[in-house]
Every structure is written in C-alpha cells, then in structure tokens.
Amino acid sequence: MFSEQLISDYLSTSIEQFQQDCSKLCAQHYPTVHNRGMRENHLGKALCRRIMATLEQAEIDAHFSQHKNDEQISQPVFVIDTTDFIIVVVAHRLLSANKACRQGLMNTIASVKSTLVQGKPTYIVVVADHWFDRSKASKEIPAWWLGRLPDNTDEYASEGVKLLGCTDNVAEQLRNEYQISHGEYHIHHPLKRETNNKIVHKYLLLSAFIPLHK
C-alpha cells in the first residue's frame, strides 16, 4: 500500500520539476503568457508528464487519460490511474481573480469528487496560474489560496503588488460547501527575469494536493 505522505512526496517532486517546464513554456509563448497566463491544457499536460515520469522512476505502472469535459466540469481534467490509487489533475487559469472564476474552480473540484471517485484512494492535484493586476480580487489570491498572507509580502510590494487579506479561503470553502476537509495548498513563482535571474512575483502558480477519500 502507498501512504498518503509518499504520494505527496511524488507530487512535490513532480511540481518542482514542472516549474522548470513552466519557465520554458513562458519563454516560448511570450507575450501571450504575459498577457493571459498559460493555456490550461499546457498547464495540465505538462504537470501530468512530470507526474508520470516520477511514477515511472518509482516503478509504478500508470495510465494517463483526459476526462471528457461536460457541463459540470469546464476546466481540463486529467486522470492518472494506477493499481492502488488515482490522481486527478485539474488545470485552471485564473484569468480573472473574481468570485465567479474562483467559484468555477471550486465547482470543478466538487464535480470531480462526485463523478470520478471509484473506490480506490483518489487524490486531486490542482494547478492554476495568475498574473497579478490592479484589482482588489487579484491581490487577494495568495491569502485566498493559503488561508493567510505569505511571509514575504515585501517582495511582492517591491514589484508594485500590495497583497491583501481575504475573508474566505479555499480550504474553508471546500470544507463548508463540499465536505472536503483535507488538503495542502502552495504558491510558486517559476519565472525569473533574464536580465538578473530574479524571481517574477507578478506571475503566480498555485498548486494543491487534496485527498478525496478521507
């Protein structure tokens, strides 16, 4: 049997390597990425490739497929199926940070729970990206995702992004609305400036690891 911690470690390794892929994708598709973020299919498939490679290195047989979108699930959803567990990858582009866009992601997670959990331990991995804009909603995204402000708010401020707290957060919404009470939520900044190799804080990558079978 595979422990939840072991699967979390596999995914952490995959996401770390995936950030390198993000940098390459952004370089190849600039300025499209700069204006609108990465396409959801690019995000999802790139992360799935990394997860599949990590599982292969661990000698775990896995089958990859894309879930057919329907009215309930509008974002791309990918399924990695093994003998012992299932990983469902949800790719989402927070083109806007408004309530409707955030709720769309919550609805997708809930729909995955209701349609794709089939007996085996099932884990959702969410990957989403966002370019900060001047709106209040945009500046709330890190606090909404983490449940608190990041420690390094001054680094965002140095790029003109004054982060704001948020009255709700992803973990609370999933618990209160969909009875999903476990999860790990992280933020990343995979892009670096070519001139000085400094992190670009205005581009945000969100990831989550959510066990559905608890």
Side-chain angles (χ1 to χ4, degrees):
M1 295 293 293
F2 292 88
S3 70
E4 183 176 306
Q5 183 58 54
L6 182 59
I7 295 170
S8 177
D9 290 344
Y10 289 151
L11 295 173
S12 294
T13 298
S14 302
I15 289 170
E16 186 176 330
Q17 296 170 339
F18 166 67
Q19 291 186 69
Q20 301 170 19
D21 300 332
C22 287
S23 297
K24 293 175 184 176
L25 276 170
C26 289
Q28 291 168 4
H29 297 280
Y30 192 91
T32 304
V33 168
H34 180 77
N35 291 332
R36 302 180 68 83
M38 274 188 276
R39 290 185 180 277
E40 291 167 334
N41 268 327
H42 281 159
L43 275 175
K45 287 180 178 177
L47 179 55
C48 286
R49 282 194 295 270
R50 283 300 186 183
I51 294 172
M52 292 289 287
T54 301
L55 295 178
E56 184 179 348
Q57 289 176 350
E59 299 183 341
I60 299 171
D61 290 330
H63 174 73
F64 168 80
S65 62
Q66 182 166 357
H67 181 67
K68 185 178 179 181
N69 290 15
D70 54 31
E71 291 182 0
Q72 288 185 305
I73 301 179
S74 57
Q75 287 86 17
V77 173
F78 306 93
V79 180
I80 297 173
D81 193 358
T82 77
T83 303
D84 297 289
F85 58 87
I86 296 171
I87 295 171
V88 181
V89 175
V90 175
H92 186 69
R93 182 168 46 155
L94 282 168
L95 188 57
S96 166
N98 64 26
K99 296 284 187 181
C101 197
R102 297 185 204 179
Q103 190 61 46
L105 177 56
M106 297 296 98
N107 293 344
T108 296
I109 292 171
S111 295
V112 167
K113 179 186 178 184
S114 64
T115 59
L116 294 181
V117 177
Q118 300 174 351
K120 293 182 199 174
T122 302
Y123 306 88
I124 287 186
V125 178
V126 180
V127 58
D129 73 342
H130 178 69
W131 275 101
F132 284 105
D133 57 39
R134 296 182 180 181
S135 70
K136 176 178 179 288
S138 180
K139 295 169 185 175
E140 290 177 347
I141 287 294
W144 174 68
W145 195 253
L146 297 175
R148 59 175 177 80
L149 284 169
D151 296 330
N152 58 335
T153 54
D154 56 328
E155 294 177 11
Y156 293 86
S158 69
E159 293 185 31
V161 180
K162 187 176 180 181
L163 296 182
L164 299 174
C166 191
T167 55
D168 53 16
N169 63 71
V170 174
E172 283 185 357
Q173 284 181 263
L174 290 177
R175 181 173 62 251
N176 295 338
E177 297 175 29
Y178 305 112
Q179 294 73 55
I180 297 173
S181 57
H182 296 80
E184 301 173 14
Y185 303 89
H186 303 281
I187 60 176
H188 318 270
H189 299 283
L191 301 192
K192 294 184 178 181
R193 291 184 176 82
E194 291 185 3
T195 51
N196 54 19
N197 208 38
K198 286 189 176 181
I199 291 172
V200 178
H201 287 87
K202 283 190 173 182
Y203 180 73
L204 185 67
L205 191 71
L206 311 171
S207 70
F209 171 60
I210 305 170
L212 287 184
H213 50 281
K214 285 193 169 184

